[in-house]
Amino acid sequence: MITKEVIEQFRVTPGKKLKLKDFDTGFTGTDEQKRLAKEKATDILDKNREHLATAQNLLYANDRHALLVIIQAMDAAGKDGTIKHVFSGINPQGCQVYSFKVPSAEELDHTFLWRHMKAVPERGRIGIFNRSYYEDVLIVKVHPELVEKSNLPPGPRDHRFWKDRYDDINAFERHLVRNGTIVLKFFLHVSKEVQKERFMERLDRPDKNWKFSLGDLKERGYWDMYQDAYEDALEATSTEVAPWYVIPADHKWVTRTAVADIIVNTIHDLELAYPKLSPEQLKALAEAKKRLEAE
Ligand code: AMP
Ligand code: MG
């Protein structure tokens, strides 16, 4: 496992001013340190995949908690790959992934939290949000004309408007946590240079062409506005009950290992054990065994 101190570096301290520039996107160290770290990270990821499978089983057996994992990032930061690699070992029945796209007309006729409320995981399961209601304070904040598409009553779309949205999000997450859902939020922090490299790869490799979208290039033009929107959102919504983690995303192995480790550690901290049966239940099991043996 990664040490708690390293994990702590990724955590956004609630109530503190946040500058994304203070968070690494890459890995600082010599080439040799990097090679060793990568080897170690791959090992840790493999082990954590196994731990996650066990942890998920315990979550399911206990049927008291759910885990909601929210993943947000700029394009090409590795959301899809992280989900694929971190969750590949777990029972598909205990896990659900939702990828939130541009809202439909029906969704726009409801509040911005509605479609997400319907998708939160039930007790015993892990739910993954690939994008989330945070888009409503990110892309929608960068492109305020999107607010006008959402049929809201008229009113100023000023500082107060966005603050109200952060408050709604915090209240929603607090509600989930109070009712047994653990909420973990990851911002995959990629540099502008690495995003360019990954876009180039999508253009150059026929097997990756499908991943390229001109829209992504357009959004890249708003890079600084997005970084500002992320800073505001993370600062306002990293809470003790539902913290944000800023995960370096220039190296895929760093991202995947860190995300898996934080999830495993969080479930581990719940100290779940398989449910203990009562003496009556144990007696019933013994009787069932006897009946089967007598067949
Ligand atoms: P992808 O994740 O690449 O499949 O793209 C999904 C697209 O949906 C992205 O461009 C998101 O910015 C967009 N999207 C997700 N949620 C919203 C939202 N609430 N309002 C507007 N666009 C959104
Ligand atoms: Mg995309």
Side-chain angles (χ1 to χ4, degrees):
M1 288 208 181
I2 305 174
T3 61
K4 291 248 179 196
E5 293 83 78
V6 176
I7 299 292
E8 245 345 89
Q9 284 177 21
F10 301 147
R11 196 165 167 273
V12 177
T13 314
K16 214 176 127 197
K17 185 101 201 111
L18 174 112
K19 280 274 153 234
L20 279 177
K21 286 205 168 61
D22 298 338
F23 288 85
D24 265 342
T25 57
F27 178 89
T28 36
T30 63
D31 281 355
E32 179 59 9
Q33 281 169 332
K34 203 156 145 180
R35 192 186 61 77
L36 287 173
K38 187 172 176 177
E39 256 179 13
K40 206 169 149 205
T42 313
D43 262 8
I44 295 178
L45 178 58
D46 283 344
K47 291 219 174 65
N48 271 335
R49 259 198 221 109
E50 288 168 28
H51 290 317
L52 192 56
T54 315
Q56 201 286 315
N57 255 334
L58 280 170
L59 210 61
Y60 194 77
N62 273 267
D63 206 19
R64 287 291 175 273
H65 296 277
L67 173 67
L68 174 62
V69 176
I70 295 180
I71 305 187
Q72 284 290 155
M74 298 294 286
D75 291 307
K79 293 193 301 296
D80 297 319
T82 301
I83 293 169
K84 181 167 140 187
H85 283 85
V86 171
F87 295 97
S88 58
I90 75 174
N91 182 349
Q93 290 214 73
C95 172
Q96 59 211 42
V97 186
Y98 284 93
S99 296
F100 292 98
K101 311 283 180 188
V102 179
S104 67
E106 187 194 16
E107 287 165 348
L108 286 173
D109 259 342
H110 292 269
T111 82
F112 74 96
L113 289 174
W114 180 72
R115 61 176 176 158
H116 307 92
M117 284 178 193
K118 292 194 305 176
V120 294
E122 68 212 56
R123 290 183 213 291
R125 286 166 64 110
I126 299 178
I128 301 150
F129 282 3
N130 180 352
R131 300 186 192 273
S132 63
Y133 41 83
Y134 282 98
E135 293 294 330
D136 295 278
V137 292
L138 294 164
I139 187 171
V140 180
K141 195 176 182 199
V142 172
H143 301 286
E145 65 277 11
L146 291 175
V147 178
E148 300 325 315
K149 284 200 176 161
S150 53
N151 307 334
L152 284 172
R157 313 303 184 203
D158 53 4
H159 176 75
R160 183 78 232 173
F161 175 82
W162 300 108
K163 166 127 192 349
D164 286 348
R165 283 203 165 184
Y166 302 140
D167 289 350
D168 288 345
I169 288 173
N170 285 338
F172 176 56
E173 290 177 353
R174 197 167 51 238
H175 169 71
L176 290 178
V177 172
R178 279 180 180 155
N179 287 276
T181 299
I182 300 148
V183 182
L184 284 178
K185 306 180 289 196
F186 298 104
F187 169 56
L188 311 190
H189 187 27
V190 76
S191 65
K192 202 173 176 188
E193 297 73 43
V194 169
Q195 188 195 53
K196 180 174 171 180
E197 281 169 24
R198 293 191 185 155
F199 280 175
M200 286 299 233
E201 207 184 338
R202 289 178 180 184
L203 291 168
D204 290 340
R205 281 182 46 184
D207 63 323
K208 292 210 167 177
N209 283 170
W210 65 274
K211 273 199 152 187
F212 186 80
S213 126
L214 269 179
D216 293 352
L217 192 57
K218 184 177 149 254
E219 293 313 303
R220 179 177 165 82
Y222 295 95
W223 184 274
D224 291 342
M225 288 172 76
Y226 271 106
Q227 299 290 302
D228 288 348
Y230 268 108
E231 280 181 352
D232 292 347
L234 268 52
E235 190 178 303
T237 62
S238 194
T239 56
E240 290 297 342
V241 294
W244 271 105
Y245 292 90
V246 178
I247 307 292
D250 284 354
H251 302 289
K252 291 172 181 173
W253 54 272
V254 175
T255 317
R256 293 166 188 175
T257 302
V259 168
D261 206 77
I262 292 167
I263 296 173
V264 168
N265 265 307
T266 305
I267 303 181
H268 195 247
D269 286 349
L270 291 175
E271 298 182 351
L272 299 177
Y274 285 105
K276 281 229 164 44
L277 299 189
S278 65
E280 293 76 44
Q281 286 169 317
L282 286 171
K283 208 170 138 212
L285 289 193
E287 267 158 28
K289 194 171 168 193
K290 251 193 228 152
R291 274 171 61 185
L292 277 173
E293 281 168 347
E295 271 182 11

